[in-house]
Amino acid sequence: MNVETRAVSTTAQLADLHALYSSQLLECPYEYEVAEDSFRDAICQPVDGLSDQLLLVAMESTQAVAFVHIGKGAADDGADVVGLIRSLILPRGNRGHDAGQALLDAAHEHFIGAGLRSCHIAGRYMYPCTRTGQVRSTWEHICSLLEENDYRRVPGAGWWDVMAWSDMDLSEPTLGIPEMQVKIGGAPLFPDEPSHGSAPRVTVR
């Protein structure tokens, strides 16, 4: 599974992403397929307070499997600039879960590299071409993936989920249990059991 980066522009390749978006949208009651022009407008039109937008697309060979639309902007209280997810679209099942995890890892790496301390999913930044822009409980496969990555609901103020990375300066602990090993930073001791979400550098066994 490769993650491809696409610019958000009126000339971007969006037909395959439109097909993915429409197939997921039709799972929701009272929603209808969005025309490709409306989908392109929703992605490309400027949004107040939103900048540095990118489309991260999970690819299997030459086929788009899933995508996430990210950017950065003001937190709800206007005090901080945070990482933002505008849309996360992925199929159900193991294939979709793996694609979604690869997309979130790429998005989190991008945000951390930009010096941002948290990632938000906010209704006011989501696409305006649907009846309501929020991530839905109908998409339980997306909700469960977000929970696995330490996203938590924040009531009120229009925020759906927030995930914050630790800003503590962690050091290697001294443990009294010889069977337990902890590695912080660098290559994980157990690459088959990676950490995600708010503690991507910490692996414990």
Side-chain angles (χ1 to χ4, degrees), residues 162-177:
V162 174
M163 189 272 289
W165 292 282
S166 171
D167 58 1
M168 295 182 295
D169 184 13
L170 298 176
S171 59
E172 302 283 350
T174 300
L175 302 175
I177 305 174

Side-chain angles (χ1 to χ4, degrees), residues 4-204:
E4 173 182 292
T5 300
R6 300 186 191 177
V8 175
S9 72
T10 55
T11 59
Q13 168 62 28
L14 298 179
D16 51 353
L17 306 190
H18 170 254
L20 292 173
Y21 184 79
S22 295
S23 64
Q24 184 159 295
L25 188 67
L26 292 177
E27 296 182 4
C28 297
Y30 310 112
E31 288 288 8
Y32 304 93
E33 185 173 0
V34 174
E36 186 172 343
D37 287 347
S38 298
F39 177 71
R40 183 177 293 275
D41 288 344
I43 287 180
C44 297
Q45 285 183 350
V47 178
D48 288 343
L50 184 66
S51 64
D52 296 350
Q53 298 184 69
L54 288 175
L55 293 165
L56 303 178
V57 185
M59 304 290 295
E60 284 185 347
S61 185
T62 60
Q63 181 184 7
V65 176
F67 76 92
V68 63
H69 184 169
I70 64 173
K72 70 178 184 180
D76 192 60
D77 59 6
D80 299 309
V81 173
V82 300
L84 295 166
I85 290 177
R86 294 196 68 192
S87 186
L88 176 60
I89 303 296
L90 56 123
R92 298 178 184 276
N94 291 335
R95 180 167 174 253
H97 181 278
D98 292 346
Q101 188 60 65
L103 291 174
L104 287 181
D105 286 345
H108 297 162
E109 183 178 351
H110 175 80
F111 292 143
I112 291 173
L116 303 177
R117 299 307 313 171
S118 62
C119 182
H120 298 243
I121 300 174
R124 67 191 178 102
Y125 288 110
M126 299 183 87
Y127 297 162
C129 56
T130 56
R131 186 172 58 88
T132 56
Q134 299 283 5
V135 174
R136 323 293 180 79
S137 59
T138 311
W139 299 334
E140 72 283 350
H141 63 302
I142 295 180
C143 296
S144 63
L145 177 65
L146 292 171
E147 289 179 0
E148 286 177 26
N149 282 268
D150 298 334
Y151 283 82
R152 296 292 179 264
R153 292 178 181 270
V154 175
W159 293 112
W160 192 87
D161 275 302
V162 174
M163 189 272 289
W165 292 282
S166 171
D167 58 1
M168 295 182 295
D169 184 13
L170 298 176
S171 59
E172 302 283 350
T174 300
L175 302 175
I177 305 174
E179 292 79 13
M180 179 176 287
Q181 302 176 36
V182 177
K183 179 69 175 177
I184 298 174
L189 288 176
F190 310 101
D192 57 324
E193 299 178 10
S195 296
H196 301 287
S198 61
R201 299 185 302 114
V202 179
T203 304
V204 180

